Amino acid sequence: MGKFVLLDARLFAPGADLSGASNKIELTSEIEDKDATNYRSNGWKEVLGGLGSAEISAEGQWEAGDPSRVDDASWADLGGVGPYTVCPADSVVGALAYLVQGMRADYKAGDAVGEIAPWSGTVKSSWPLVRGQIAHAPGLARTADGTGTALTLGAVPAGKRLYAALHVLSVAGTATPSLTVTVESDAAADFAAPVTRAAFTAASTPGGQAVRTDGLAITDTHYRIAWTVTGTSPSFMFAVSLGIR
């Protein structure tokens, strides 16, 4: 991806797509620098990396009246921890995505008379900010079991983890529709022998979940999601992002 103008950035809160109500999204990831300077530092300051942190800040046009709108979603998420995914361009399968498990720390709404009603908010990390890809696009309704497109993310070294964020954006159907999503890996793109690496809890309402592996090495280099849908006339709109860190 070369230089570009921000025109279609995407922002997914736990169970809502806030892209259409956002006009500014910023990501920050940093490591504390701890002073380790001593008399043998030859006159130069020495630092060691301390605790890491990440933050997402966003703002845009205020909307309310439905769980998918920014005011409803912000109040529901305020003080809670959930997954957030940001795409700097689009959210098609394979698109660059940044994902984090974080706490919705603040929410602000309102401005002077005559202004378009604004909102702003901040998410502070509970897990690292991870650079990855979209594994399932948000605009595809799923009504039956299936598998996603294979992504080449590379092997997971020991001490690193595979991270995944699920955003269930809408649910329809009767007799308790349910969606179960898993993350699979394989050594090749044809997934002749897939291995389940992580699983989300079955979902029957809009919301978000984040999972990660245990830090053990994974030699497989290809990853995809699989989903199981149950219920009468079920339909789910959801997005999934994957990354390694």
Side-chain angles (χ1 to χ4, degrees):
M1 178 184 293
K3 298 176 183 177
F4 70 103
V5 176
L6 282 169
L7 296 175
D8 193 24
R10 305 301 302 271
L11 171 60
F12 300 99
D17 180 355
L18 303 184
S19 308
S22 302
N23 59 19
K24 184 177 181 179
I25 306 168
E26 294 183 334
L27 299 171
T28 304
S29 183
E30 63 181 10
I31 304 295
E32 288 182 328
D33 57 291
K34 295 296 186 180
D35 193 340
T37 310
N38 56 72
Y39 287 120
R40 304 298 293 176
S41 297
N42 295 315
W44 288 90
K45 185 176 181 179
E46 292 187 43
V47 296
L48 296 175
L51 296 176
S53 64
E55 180 176 301
I56 300 173
S57 59
E59 58 187 64
Q61 299 90 13
W62 183 91
E63 295 178 326
D66 184 272
S68 65
R69 297 183 182 271
V70 65
D71 191 67
D72 303 67
S74 296
W75 279 109
D77 298 337
L78 191 62
V81 176
Y84 292 81
T85 296
V86 174
C87 301
D90 201 356
S91 54
V92 296
V93 172
L96 175 63
Y98 296 89
L99 56 143
V100 70
Q101 173 93 314
M103 182 189 75
R104 185 62 179 271
D106 60 68
Y107 173 61
K108 179 181 178 181
D111 204 336
V113 62
E115 299 296 332
I116 295 176
W119 71 273
S120 63
T122 305
V123 174
K124 296 185 181 293
S125 64
S126 295
W127 288 2
L129 182 66
V130 179
R131 186 179 188 272
Q133 299 179 34
I134 291 293
H136 188 274
L140 301 173
R142 299 301 185 182
T143 60
D145 299 354
T147 56
T149 302
L151 302 177
T152 306
L153 298 180
V156 180
K160 302 291 186 179
R161 299 174 188 250
L162 172 68
Y163 291 79
L166 167 66
H167 306 277
V168 180
L169 304 174
S170 68
V171 179
T174 59
T176 315
S178 179
L179 169 72
T180 301
V181 177
T182 58
V183 182
E184 299 178 338
S185 72
D186 201 321
D190 60 3
F191 275 79
V195 177
T196 299
R197 297 298 180 179
F200 296 99
T201 302
S204 57
T205 59
Q209 301 177 45
V211 294
R212 60 185 178 183
T213 56
D214 56 11
L216 298 177
I218 300 174
T219 58
D220 290 343
T221 55
H222 294 77
Y223 302 84
R224 71 180 184 185
I225 65 164
W227 59 88
T228 302
V229 174
T230 61
T232 303
S233 301
S235 179
F236 291 87
M237 296 278 280
F238 63 96
V240 179
S241 53
L242 303 177
I244 296 171
R245 180 161 181 173

